[in-house]
Amino acid sequence: MSYALYYWTGLQGRGEFVRLCLEDAGATYTDVARVEGNEAMTSFLEGQHEGALPFAPPFLTSGHLVIAQVANILQYLGPRHDLVPESESRRLYAHQLQLTVSDIVAEAHDTHHPVSTAQYYEDQRDEAKKRAKDFREQRIPKYLGYFEKALERGGGRFVLHQHSYVDLSLFQLMAGLEYAFPKAMAKQELPLLRDLARRVADRPNIAAYLASDRRVPFNTTGIFRHYPELDG
């Protein structure tokens, strides 16, 4: 099965959650914009195509299907690559957890763009400092404490008692927060999440991907950005 992934070039962003799933599964896919440029997404975003209309990247094409939104894409890929349990209750729980990952990812983005995505970070620095302080002190502990508890309920090694796309997303979430907020993250007691992140990074396909040039480094154009003044 071959896929086409559409996401902006030059950054990990939300597309990285999908890439990790495809890479772990050993799936054949084309990262279209990296080959053809960001203009390759225009016809889809303007509705000049068959199938569903995506609001924004990332979106994935599989045959005649056009699938947008990270949690929706992963819900589609999971059963096809043994990255989610078979039971309906487990699949619903996986989707719930993934939607919660999407929530904290959005809040992480808003630490550096709390006023408007149309303005530069430098134009909203004072507001960003206030937003980031609340994110560090209140939201990071609340979200990661929830995921730590979910891991404990899953047996300690996997959030769903077996390896799943949610584990891959938790790895990416931890990596992004460690990059953006190293001081704040150093204060968090998260033994199960840290162990999960290490084990995901050691999975053969993921380790090969992380060592390759396909893994774009974190930078100040993505969702997870390191501005020292926002890390307290």
Side-chain angles (χ1 to χ4, degrees):
M1 191 174 293
S2 180
Y3 307 100
L5 172 65
Y6 292 80
Y7 196 70
W8 308 111
T9 61
L11 66 156
Q12 294 181 16
R14 291 175 176 84
E16 197 69 8
F17 294 93
V18 181
R19 288 191 196 97
L20 287 167
C21 180
L22 293 168
E23 292 284 346
D24 187 74
T28 301
Y29 74 100
T30 302
D31 211 329
V32 179
R34 292 186 180 179
V35 177
E36 302 178 15
N38 289 335
E39 298 77 14
M41 297 184 285
T42 303
S43 64
F44 288 90
L45 298 176
E46 293 182 351
Q48 301 169 359
H49 67 287
E50 296 182 358
L53 176 66
F55 175 72
F59 54 91
L60 185 85
T61 62
S62 174
H64 296 297
L65 293 175
V66 180
I67 309 157
Q69 295 287 358
V70 170
N72 197 33
I73 297 169
L74 296 179
Q75 187 180 41
Y76 171 76
L77 292 174
R80 286 157 178 78
H81 297 283
D82 296 322
L83 286 172
V84 70
E86 292 185 359
S87 74
E88 181 181 34
S89 62
R90 295 287 90 187
R91 292 187 180 188
L92 286 170
Y93 186 37
H95 191 53
Q96 171 191 315
L97 291 166
Q98 190 64 47
L99 288 168
T100 309
V101 171
S102 295
D103 288 342
I104 184 176
V105 167
E107 292 195 30
H109 170 271
D110 288 349
T111 61
H112 51 78
H113 278 76
V115 178
S116 172
T117 57
Q119 296 179 5
Y120 291 110
Y121 162 68
E122 290 76 14
D123 298 326
Q124 49 195 313
R125 192 189 304 265
D126 290 341
E127 294 89 346
K129 289 180 181 179
K130 295 177 183 178
R131 185 64 176 266
K133 183 176 187 295
D134 179 73
F135 184 71
R136 295 193 314 269
E137 296 178 359
Q138 303 296 328
R139 307 305 282 169
I140 285 179
K142 183 170 184 175
Y143 275 109
L144 297 189
Y146 167 76
F147 289 125
E148 184 81 0
K149 185 180 295 183
L151 264 172
E152 182 180 0
R153 285 166 60 94
R157 288 181 56 79
F158 307 109
V159 75
L160 295 169
H161 295 278
Q162 67 181 67
H163 177 63
S164 71
Y165 66 77
V166 182
D167 297 319
L168 297 167
S169 291
L170 289 175
F171 159 79
Q172 177 65 8
L173 175 63
M174 290 292 287
L177 292 175
E178 294 279 6
Y179 169 77
F181 301 100
K183 291 181 181 178
M185 287 296 287
K187 300 176 183 178
Q188 309 302 314
E189 294 291 336
L190 303 165
L192 298 180
L193 277 169
R194 295 189 195 283
D195 179 63
L196 173 68
R198 285 191 292 268
R199 287 186 287 105
V200 169
D202 287 340
R203 290 178 63 83
N205 287 353
I206 295 298
Y209 170 64
L210 296 177
S212 75
D213 58 7
R214 299 191 305 281
R215 172 75 164 185
V216 175
F218 288 110
N219 56 49
T220 54
T221 60
I223 292 172
F224 298 107
R225 305 185 188 187
H226 178 60
Y227 296 114
E229 63 269 26
L230 300 188
D231 195 22

